[in-house]
Amino acid sequence: MKRMSTPQLLMIEDDARLAQMVGEYLTQSGFLFTHAGDGASGLEQLQQHAPDLVILDLMLPDTDGLEICRRIRSLPPPASKVSVLMLTAKGDPMDRIIGLEIGADDYLPKPFEPRELLARIRAVLRRRSENSADTEASTVMRFGTLEIDRNARTVSMGGALADLTSYQFDLLVAMAERAGRVLTRDQIMEAVRGRELEAFDRSIDVHMGRIRAAIEVDAKNPKRILTVRGVGYVFAKQQD
């Protein structure tokens, strides 16, 4: 999902007067605001402009908001990742439950106070931002100048990419995820099961030597992957 200094909102609402009132209030509150009067044009605008949040009315002239929410979540990213806040005049709590189950981030019944809408929008965007930061942090492991990106499947030392095979990358990740724990060769191989395992555990020693050559300042005097005689290896927690 794109990052903007000024969040962009899209309201899909067939009540033009309500949309105008909400638009003026949210614009004054520092947001960019666009409006679509039905579900079809709303989906079109969503895919063209990739807003940060959609304010989605449950009752629309061409289809209901629940169906539009389903379609949004079935779109390819980044459109499918947009935050959705649903509006409805209905009092049935099942609408709220269904809306949340199919991917809405929050739900606000009509009539509503503009200040409450503003507060909910800010809360949804804040949660999404925090979740995105947490997700990014969880995919990248950093140990001083060593950076392991599990999503990109890359390893870098001081910004320079390390040359590892896919199997060696998996071995390194398995070790780094268990930093500080002494692992036997069997435990290391078990941690990467699902890959084609080597025939002999001594082959782990060969791979560890190549990993050290890629990530250690001095492979003959390793500081990150240490040998524990008679047991196996440990990925040291200390940083550069």
Side-chain angles (χ1 to χ4, degrees):
M1 187 173 182
K2 68 177 185 177
R3 293 283 175 260
M4 300 179 62
S5 57
T6 303
Q8 181 173 337
L9 311 177
L10 167 63
M11 187 173 194
I12 306 177
E13 166 65 64
D14 61 329
D15 186 333
R17 291 182 61 185
L18 175 62
Q20 181 179 0
M21 178 197 73
V22 169
E24 291 175 354
Y25 182 79
L26 294 177
T27 299
Q28 292 172 2
S29 300
F31 294 93
L32 297 176
F33 181 88
T34 55
H35 169 238
D38 56 63
S41 58
L43 287 172
E44 184 177 353
Q45 287 196 40
L46 168 66
Q47 295 177 81
Q48 289 178 350
H49 304 296
D52 295 278
L53 182 142
V54 173
I55 305 167
L56 177 61
D57 187 27
L58 186 62
M59 304 298 293
L60 295 169
D62 53 344
T63 187
D64 67 87
L66 294 176
E67 176 60 25
I68 295 300
C69 188
R70 289 191 188 95
R71 293 182 188 179
I72 289 173
R73 294 304 182 221
S74 67
L75 292 171
S80 62
K81 302 301 183 183
V82 66
S83 297
V84 176
L85 191 157
M86 296 196 73
L87 302 176
T88 181
K90 290 185 176 181
D92 187 350
M94 284 304 298
D95 289 328
R96 178 175 185 273
I97 294 170
I98 294 172
L100 295 175
E101 285 181 344
I102 64 175
D105 295 273
D106 202 354
Y107 186 98
L108 183 62
K110 295 179 179 178
F112 55 84
E113 288 290 332
R115 286 190 299 177
E116 182 178 4
L117 174 62
L118 175 62
R120 287 178 178 269
I121 289 171
R122 287 175 171 166
V124 169
L125 291 177
R126 182 173 62 251
R127 290 197 301 270
R128 179 59 62 93
S129 178
E130 291 171 351
N131 290 340
S132 296
D134 290 343
T135 299
E136 180 179 359
S138 68
T139 64
V140 178
M141 293 183 288
R142 294 182 177 87
F143 303 88
T145 58
L146 174 65
E147 182 174 294
I148 306 170
D149 189 327
R150 282 172 283 200
N151 275 0
R153 294 185 64 80
T154 59
V155 177
S156 61
M157 279 289 295
L161 288 178
D163 185 16
L164 294 175
T165 66
S166 181
Y167 185 73
Q168 290 160 9
F169 176 84
D170 289 340
L171 290 174
L172 177 59
V173 168
M175 295 285 292
E177 288 177 340
R178 298 160 179 80
R181 288 173 51 189
V182 177
L183 301 174
T184 66
R185 293 176 178 83
D186 286 343
Q187 288 173 324
I188 295 170
M189 294 176 71
E190 177 69 14
V192 295
R193 64 180 178 178
R195 299 278 309 181
E196 182 179 352
L197 298 182
E198 303 295 328
F200 306 99
D201 68 352
R202 296 301 297 178
S203 69
I204 290 291
D205 298 337
V206 176
H207 287 297
M208 288 300 171
R210 291 171 180 167
I211 294 171
R212 282 170 169 164
I215 69 170
E216 298 279 5
V217 175
D218 182 357
K220 293 183 179 180
N221 297 287
K223 302 297 183 183
R224 297 188 182 281
I225 297 180
L226 308 178
T227 300
V228 180
R229 292 188 180 279
V231 183
Y233 295 93
V234 59
F235 187 97
K237 286 185 175 181
Q238 81 267 13
Q239 300 186 4
D240 300 324

